[in-house]
Amino acid sequence: MDEALYAKGLDRRKATLGAEYVDRALTSAPDFSKEFQSFITEYCWGAGWGDDTLPPKTRSMLNIVMIAALNRMHEWELHFRGALTNGVSIEELKAMITHITIYCGVPVGVECHRIANRVLDEQGLQA
């Protein structure tokens, strides 16, 4: 493992997903998944998110669309929360969900809105 890349990835992962979530994922991983958690922290978050060519806001916007296209809604919720943390505006998120609906289908768009409304309500970001 590249310790510097892991450390950078850990910082980026916590900055986007929240320290509490990341610490819980790392400490509660069963033995079977511990290496996997280290791998995604180093590779995905260190090498991918750690590349400063794209800012975190742009990466969040890309992730929201790609994860919806893959219909991985548990991960979509996680990255929707991260997108808010990384400065993606509610108006931008609405436009992205419209784009997702057009290119990925109405059922995915409906699910995105269901999740988004719940998260926004939880965070007190809508009336």
Side-chain angles (χ1 to χ4, degrees):
M1 176 186 346
D2 182 324
E3 294 294 334
L5 202 54
Y6 178 86
K8 186 178 208 177
L10 188 58
D11 288 344
R12 296 289 170 108
R13 190 175 181 190
K14 287 181 177 183
T16 297
L17 304 179
E20 183 179 317
Y21 172 85
V22 174
D23 289 341
R24 187 173 54 249
L26 293 172
T27 59
S28 68
D31 288 341
F32 182 80
S33 298
K34 285 189 186 303
E35 288 179 27
F36 179 72
Q37 285 294 321
S38 294
F39 171 75
I40 62 173
T41 300
E42 178 184 353
Y43 180 68
C44 174
W45 291 98
W49 283 76
D51 173 1
D52 293 325
T53 306
L54 297 175
K57 179 180 176 179
T58 302
R59 288 186 190 281
S60 282
M61 293 173 87
L62 289 166
N63 274 13
I64 290 295
V65 174
M66 290 185 294
I67 294 169
L70 293 169
N71 200 22
R72 303 299 192 267
M73 301 318 285
H74 176 77
E75 287 294 313
W76 192 88
E77 179 178 343
L78 180 65
H79 282 278
F80 180 84
R81 292 174 186 277
L84 290 167
T85 299
N86 284 336
V88 181
S89 73
I90 291 174
E91 289 303 313
E92 288 170 322
L93 289 162
K94 284 167 65 175
M96 291 165 53
I97 293 172
T98 298
H99 209 68
I100 288 166
T101 302
I102 293 166
Y103 284 92
C104 298
V106 172
V108 174
V110 168
E111 184 68 5
C112 288
H113 270 277
R114 186 189 67 72
I115 293 167
N117 281 307
R118 182 172 40 78
V119 170
L120 294 171
D121 284 343
E122 287 173 4
Q123 296 190 8
L125 297 174
Q126 71 177 358

